[in-house]
Amino acid sequence: MTDTFAADLDSYRTALRANLMRESSLHAWRTRHYATTEERIADHAALMGELYRQGWNRYGWPVAAGGAGGDERHRAVLYDELAAAGLPIPTPHLLLETLGPPVSRFAPELAARYLPAYLRGEEWWGQGFSEPEAGSDLASLRCRARRDGDNYVLSGQKLWTSHGATATRLVCLVRTGTPESRHRGLSMIMVDVDTPGVSRRPIALASGDNELAEVFFDDAIVPASRLIGAEGQGWAIAMYLLQYERAMYAWMSAADALRRLRELRDQLSTRLAAGGTLPGAAAQRLGQCYSQLITLRARSAQTVRRLAAGATVGPEASVDKVLLGGAEIALYDLSRDLLGPEFVFDDTATVAQWRSEWWYSRSATILGGSAEVQRTIIADHVLGLPKEATV
Amino acid sequence: MTSAVTGFDAATIELLATSLREVFTAHPDAQGVAAALDELGWDEVSASDPAAATTLLFTEHGRALAISRLLDDIVLRELTPALPAGTGNRAVLYCHPQHALLLGPLDDITELVTLDGAGNVGIIAAESVSARPIRGFDPGSGWLCIDEIPTARPLLVGDAGQRAVAAARRALCAEIIGICTTALDSAVAHTTSRIQYGRQLATFQAVRHRLAESYVAVEAARAALAAAWADGGVWTARLAKLRAGQAQAELMRHTVQLFGAMGLSQEHELHRRVTRAAALDLLLGGHTAQADEVGAALLAGADLIRVVEI
């Protein structure tokens, strides 16, 4: 391990690839299935610990925050090489990719304090944005943070918080302005889940997996030093965050999806080799889905390179998000249709994972701003259409 | 809209695009286009950045719904070094399972170089065939069809045949993208200016989302084409052609709907874009056939290569 990796992406990629293939301590993660989300996150966090110990997942993060330097491209390469080596992208990396950049950028002291533990898999964070009355409509948030001396007092509720039930900390978007202030009166703050007055309840998805949670704040006292950026800057930071949620998340998901498509193809080839048959149009849909994933990679790579160059990726990141949603839905519908009765009736761990991911794939067009919101962003800000009429 | 490939800076691209637009507007026939491009010094432009130049040339060709043999030039540039020396003019005969197509008349052509989607190449004498104009979905293409093809002497050209198919597919992607871009621009303009129920059509969410989806489809095709150029291979050119074909199918479905009955009329220009894009989709393999072939290859064990690296 040398610092040349931070400056030389290709040498990082080559060394990483060789290591992932060679390292026998990682092999166990290739074939594991999990009965619960909690079990999966904990085991994936252990994989992060292993990657951190060897240094690989530190590239792309600031040295001051436990990283080893480099930029977004290093992270993109890590996800890609993990997937190519048949390894999962550790679940906690999903929210690290969304929350890590804004915390590093707007609260470097918090990043220095807590990000190293995140990279080691010792803790992970949840994203507290959505509320009962505010899903994609973020400007309607009501969860209050009232300034009281050196603290904020939080009261209200968050909903659909990814990994919220197991996270150590929550990065929340809260209202510090008046209820009418819409996007101007928002702030972002990091809350420890063991703060008195914070309680949470897992929400089981239809698959039975506790992917999400609801979180209640009952006059929870949070130090003002936990603010990310300045008071009232929440919306701007959320927009900064969304670049990553839309672009890096798309790249990461595409890497995982390509691994899953390869596994689906292998399952189907095995069936064919055993004399089985496939439903009509199977080949066409497989080819179609593969081309969608490659196209998503092509688009997403351009965006990742722009982020790495320090450019602001504006509303055009919604194109990446729409392509991701389409590709994920197509992949998992394909798994359901081609696995057929096996998908619906069988009880093996392999099929249970397809089912669970099928449900989770439905969220690709909901979380992070629904597919409808993305299309509206493109209509407004990319195509420059006249504003939608309001009722 | 930017080029799929950014070898030139934005100002140069705009300048070149404007010049090409003038060429295609002023010269509706193939000979005129070739001469005007010579005068423009297009060979030099092309030599300095083949990917960007080819993409620009064919995008503008598509936007103008131009008719020419520029695609033959792309194919022959790859094939000529591998072909026996010829004495006269050559044109390309694009062979498909049911149709063999020529992009223009046989007037001054002495030899036809046959090429199919698998990259098989042959040569036949032009005088040995009779060509009839196509009066199908896209009567404006100026293409011709040959019903009976004498057996061509198969030629061993190494991988030149495949490279020619890949190069032609990349050019076709750009042309399809060009057509889609103008169709989308016109749909945006139409829905922004037309008033129904007292408001602009483009203020209705159902309309806005169709336009957004159309935009995403074109951008996806553009990204796939850029990846195909960066990689230069046969597999990626096929994937790009698949996406471009898919994009025109989706985008034309949306735009035809958005123009209402106007878009179905002879006097409106939209139908010309619909039919040309459909014809170009089928040239060297339509998107459903491509998806079939890619999927069959994967089921037969082909590696799911990542194509794009960071």
Side-chain angles (χ1 to χ4, degrees):
Chain A
M1 184 77 42
T2 66
D3 286 339
T4 58
F5 290 159
D8 182 351
L9 191 67
D10 283 333
S11 68
Y12 170 72
R13 188 195 328 260
T14 308
L16 170 64
R17 186 177 299 172
N19 181 270
L20 294 178
M21 290 302 175
R22 189 178 58 228
E23 191 59 65
S24 57
S25 65
L26 300 176
H27 186 67
W29 279 281
R30 287 194 167 83
T31 49
R32 263 179 212 162
H33 296 281
Y34 306 99
T36 67
T37 304
E38 292 83 348
E39 199 184 297
R40 186 185 74 238
I41 295 185
D43 193 50
H44 280 191
L47 173 57
M48 288 178 76
E50 198 60 31
L51 293 170
Y52 184 90
R53 194 177 59 74
Q54 300 177 22
W56 300 116
N57 75 346
R58 298 177 60 197
Y59 287 94
W61 298 102
V63 174
D71 57 46
E72 284 80 356
R73 296 170 305 156
H74 288 78
R75 279 138 53 189
V77 164
L78 172 68
Y79 306 141
D80 229 13
E81 294 301 329
L82 284 169
L87 286 161
I89 295 169
T91 303
H93 264 281
L94 295 183
L95 282 162
L96 175 62
E97 202 47 72
T98 303
L99 301 173
V103 173
S104 302
R105 167 83 179 267
F106 295 97
E109 63 294 347
L110 292 179
R113 204 139 132 219
Y114 301 119
L115 207 69
Y118 200 148
L119 289 169
R120 287 194 298 268
E122 291 163 7
E123 67 172 68
W124 51 92
W125 307 341
Q127 181 183 356
F129 279 22
S130 293
E131 295 179 8
E133 304 300 325
S136 289
D137 180 12
L138 274 187
S140 297
L141 295 181
R142 297 202 300 204
C143 185
R144 291 263 328 141
R146 177 172 53 82
R147 183 77 188 228
D148 181 15
D150 289 339
N151 297 311
Y152 284 94
V153 181
L154 267 61
S155 55
Q157 185 187 352
K158 290 291 175 185
L159 193 58
W160 317 127
T161 308
S162 296
H163 308 165
T166 54
T168 307
R169 280 168 248 284
L170 303 170
V171 173
C172 297
L173 199 56
V174 290
R175 184 157 302 284
T176 41
T178 62
E180 301 76 35
S181 58
R182 296 285 293 169
H183 59 275
R184 288 181 304 279
L186 297 174
S187 301
M188 203 175 286
I189 195 162
M190 182 187 274
V191 184
D192 293 354
V193 295
D194 57 7
T195 306
V198 176
S199 56
R200 47 195 179 152
R201 187 180 72 82
I203 300 170
L205 288 187
S207 58
D209 295 335
N210 291 333
E211 292 289 342
L212 309 166
E214 59 183 333
V215 183
F216 302 90
F217 300 97
D218 187 10
D219 290 336
I221 295 171
V222 180
S225 60
R226 290 302 191 81
L227 215 49
I228 295 158
E231 183 177 308
Q233 212 190 343
W235 184 263
I237 299 170
M239 292 303 108
Y240 178 83
L241 175 150
L242 284 176
Q243 301 180 86
Y244 289 87
E245 179 156 351
R246 287 173 188 154
M248 291 300 289
Y249 183 81
W251 175 267
M252 179 187 264
S253 304
D256 235 0
L258 195 55
R259 173 175 68 89
R260 293 297 276 151
L261 185 64
R262 191 168 60 225
E263 290 169 3
L264 178 64
R265 188 277 307 269
D266 292 347
Q267 262 177 274
L268 298 173
S269 297
T270 308
R271 186 201 290 183
L272 285 175
T277 55
L278 292 177
Q284 193 182 109
R285 286 183 60 192
L286 193 64
Q288 171 75 1
C289 183
Y290 171 69
S291 80
Q292 272 180 281
L293 284 174
I294 296 305
T295 302
L296 170 60
R297 284 177 66 84
R299 168 75 188 192
S300 181
Q302 295 171 350
T303 310
V304 170
R305 288 187 203 112
R306 287 179 60 202
L307 280 174
T312 299
V313 179
E316 62 275 22
S318 290
V319 172
D320 303 41
K321 187 76 161 61
V322 171
L323 291 176
L324 169 65
E328 284 215 325
I329 297 271
L331 167 62
Y332 288 98
D333 280 352
L334 190 63
S335 78
R336 187 176 72 170
D337 295 349
L338 298 191
L339 295 173
E342 195 183 337
F343 181 100
V344 180
F345 301 120
D346 281 14
D347 200 23
T348 62
T350 309
V351 174
Q353 190 181 344
W354 279 113
R355 277 198 295 264
S356 157
E357 290 178 10
W358 183 90
W359 275 111
Y360 195 68
S361 71
R362 304 300 105 171
S363 72
T365 46
I366 299 170
L367 57 76
S370 72
E372 289 73 19
V373 170
Q374 307 303 335
R375 282 162 175 75
T376 295
I377 291 172
I378 292 168
D380 282 343
H381 302 292
V382 180
L383 292 174
L385 299 178
K387 295 280 184 215
E388 196 172 310
T390 46
V391 190
Chain B
M1 305 272 169
T2 53
S3 159
V5 181
T6 50
F8 300 121
D9 63 32
T12 310
I13 287 176
E14 197 41 54
L15 198 69
L16 291 171
T18 307
S19 305
L20 289 172
R21 246 164 256 179
E22 285 164 10
V23 167
F24 291 127
T25 316
H27 304 281
D29 64 288
Q31 284 87 351
V33 166
L37 286 175
D38 272 350
E39 201 176 315
L40 200 61
W42 190 256
D43 278 351
E44 278 174 49
V45 176
S46 191
S48 72
D49 188 339
T54 307
T55 300
L56 258 181
L57 180 63
F58 281 85
T59 300
E60 291 307 324
H61 198 269
R63 292 175 67 97
L65 292 176
I67 295 168
S68 77
R69 278 219 158 94
L70 291 177
L71 190 70
D72 285 8
D73 296 346
I74 297 284
V75 169
L76 292 173
R77 192 177 305 154
E78 296 293 336
L79 287 182
T80 300
L83 294 178
T87 47
N89 288 333
R90 282 170 169 166
V92 179
L93 181 63
Y94 299 88
C95 299
H96 303 84
Q98 282 118 28
H99 295 90
L101 304 171
L102 288 166
L103 301 186
L106 286 173
D107 305 345
D108 55 348
I109 304 295
T110 50
E111 282 183 324
L112 294 179
V113 178
T114 63
L115 178 71
D116 69 12
N120 296 307
V121 176
I123 291 186
I124 55 178
E127 60 189 15
S128 66
V129 299
S130 67
R132 63 176 171 85
I134 289 179
R135 302 195 202 288
F137 197 44
D138 180 23
S141 69
W143 296 355
L144 295 97
C145 189
I146 293 179
D147 296 313
E148 285 176 47
I149 311 169
T151 311
R153 180 160 44 99
L155 293 172
L156 295 175
V157 294
D159 65 354
Q162 295 227 18
R163 279 191 284 110
V165 171
R169 282 182 177 152
R170 287 190 295 265
L172 286 166
C173 286
E175 187 164 4
I176 292 170
I177 288 169
I179 298 175
C180 287
T181 307
T182 45
L184 178 58
D185 289 349
S186 67
V188 166
H190 172 73
T191 55
T192 303
S193 62
R194 181 159 166 83
I195 311 283
Q196 291 282 277
Y197 302 99
R199 47 194 258 220
Q200 293 155 288
L201 282 180
T203 62
F204 289 94
Q205 190 178 60
V207 169
R208 295 156 60 78
H209 286 191
R210 276 186 190 270
L211 291 167
E213 276 166 39
S214 302
Y215 176 79
V216 170
V218 183
E219 288 306 297
R222 225 184 272 282
L225 176 56
W229 270 112
D231 164 273
V234 177
W235 178 254
T236 50
R238 160 174 287 179
L239 292 175
K241 181 78 175 10
L242 198 174
R243 293 324 299 175
Q246 182 79 33
Q248 64 84 29
E250 285 175 27
L251 180 137
M252 293 304 174
R253 190 175 69 240
H254 290 318
T255 43
V256 165
Q257 173 66 22
L258 292 175
F259 274 100
M262 284 178 223
L264 310 180
S265 71
Q266 185 86 60
E267 67 187 284
H268 198 281
E269 61 171 15
L270 183 64
H271 69 92
R272 298 177 60 215
R273 306 198 189 289
V274 172
T275 56
R276 182 64 52 82
L280 292 169
D281 174 35
L282 284 186
L283 199 53
L284 291 173
H287 65 281
T288 51
Q290 300 287 351
D292 257 338
E293 288 182 35
V294 169
L298 294 178
L299 283 173
D303 193 12
L304 278 81
I305 54 168
R306 303 192 291 204
V307 177
V308 179
E309 302 293 337
I310 282 290

